[in-house]
Amino acid sequence: MHLPSSLAHLRPVALIRFLLGILLPLLIVGLIAEDVLEKQRFAFEQPMMLWVHSHAGSGLTAISLFLHTFGGPVLMGGVFILIVLGLWLTHRRPLAVFALLGLGSSVGFAFAMKLIFNRARPELWPRLVAETGASFPSGHTTVAAALATFAVLLAWHSRWRWPVLIVAALYAFLMGYGRVVLGVHYPTDVLAGWLTGLACVLGAYSVLGGPSRLVQLTERGEVKTHA
């Protein structure tokens, strides 16, 4: 089987990143979205949510409440702006473009999908927090996954690779799990959020060539993209 010409010249690592980090996540999100659009129920979701709710202790609930506030649009919007401005003002402008494209696209896609699918939020128990928007996908989770992926990519070629990877993965996981703990999202909302955030940032990474490449271009004053 021959690969399309647009993919045939990619290095194995880049090809694997495209297939597993971008294409596969988007296909899974698409399959979930199709059922959400048709108002179909996922049989495993209610039992899973009830189990999570019954086993969530006070500590996990407190963490979920903190992440609910921290991951909200106001604070996360401020974090995103600070990241972009910080990179821009420290003359790492291609990295600022990467942040703007990767993080910004994750917010945009999540918002658009909420408008398109307009999934009602679960109502399985009295909630500790008030949420009014659509449920699919989880915006908190999408943004957390995007931020985690962005941080890992920036740190990947440094000595901080593994500590950042562990902290970022834990942050994204707890954000998504906390949305189920609080009863404001279905598990498929969370899964779609994780995959959307990952795919958006990896997509921007692939389009712009990766942070290390962008830094090299900045030093030469040649900001351009490559496959």
Side-chain angles (χ1 to χ4, degrees):
M1 183 178 71
H2 296 286
L3 291 172
S5 59
S6 60
L7 300 179
H9 69 286
L10 292 178
R11 294 176 300 168
V13 173
L15 182 59
I16 292 172
R17 183 175 67 236
F18 171 77
L19 293 176
L20 299 183
I22 302 173
L23 182 60
L24 181 60
L26 292 180
L27 286 175
I28 295 174
V29 172
L31 291 174
I32 297 172
E34 182 180 9
D35 288 341
V36 170
L37 189 63
E38 295 174 355
K39 308 297 183 183
Q40 295 187 20
R41 294 181 179 272
F42 297 88
F44 69 91
E45 290 197 292
Q46 182 169 325
M48 178 183 290
M49 292 187 69
L50 292 173
W51 184 91
V52 168
H53 179 65
S54 65
H55 289 80
S58 58
L60 183 55
T61 300
I63 292 173
S64 301
L65 288 171
F66 169 76
L67 291 176
H68 168 76
T69 301
F70 178 74
V74 175
L75 285 179
M76 274 295 103
V79 170
F80 281 14
I81 292 172
L82 286 176
I83 290 173
V84 174
L85 287 179
L87 291 171
W88 187 271
L89 295 176
T90 54
H91 306 290
R92 289 176 286 182
R93 293 179 179 177
L95 292 181
V97 173
F98 171 46
L100 184 62
L101 181 60
L103 301 178
S105 64
S106 69
V107 174
F109 273 109
F111 180 75
M113 284 193 287
K114 284 180 179 290
L115 292 179
I116 293 170
F117 298 102
N118 195 31
R119 187 186 199 183
R121 291 183 183 269
E123 297 284 354
L124 299 181
W125 58 79
R127 299 179 193 155
L128 296 176
V129 297
E131 287 283 15
T132 57
S135 186
F136 180 84
S138 166
H140 279 68
T141 307
T142 302
V143 169
L147 186 59
T149 305
F150 178 76
V152 170
L153 290 175
L154 288 188
W156 192 248
H157 296 290
S158 74
R159 61 178 179 172
W160 300 104
R161 173 194 303 187
W162 298 114
V164 170
L165 176 61
I166 292 171
V167 172
L170 184 61
Y171 166 65
F173 171 77
L174 286 176
M175 181 66 80
Y177 194 76
R179 306 311 285 163
V180 179
V181 168
L182 296 177
V184 294
H185 281 291
Y186 294 100
T188 48
D189 299 335
V190 169
L191 178 59
W194 279 329
L195 296 176
T196 300
L198 172 70
C200 284
V201 175
L202 285 181
Y205 181 95
S206 298
V207 168
L208 298 176
S212 59
R213 171 62 174 164
L214 294 176
V215 170
Q216 294 173 4
L217 292 174
T218 299
E219 293 173 351
R220 297 204 308 265
E222 303 173 0
V223 179
K224 60 183 179 181
T225 63
H226 71 283

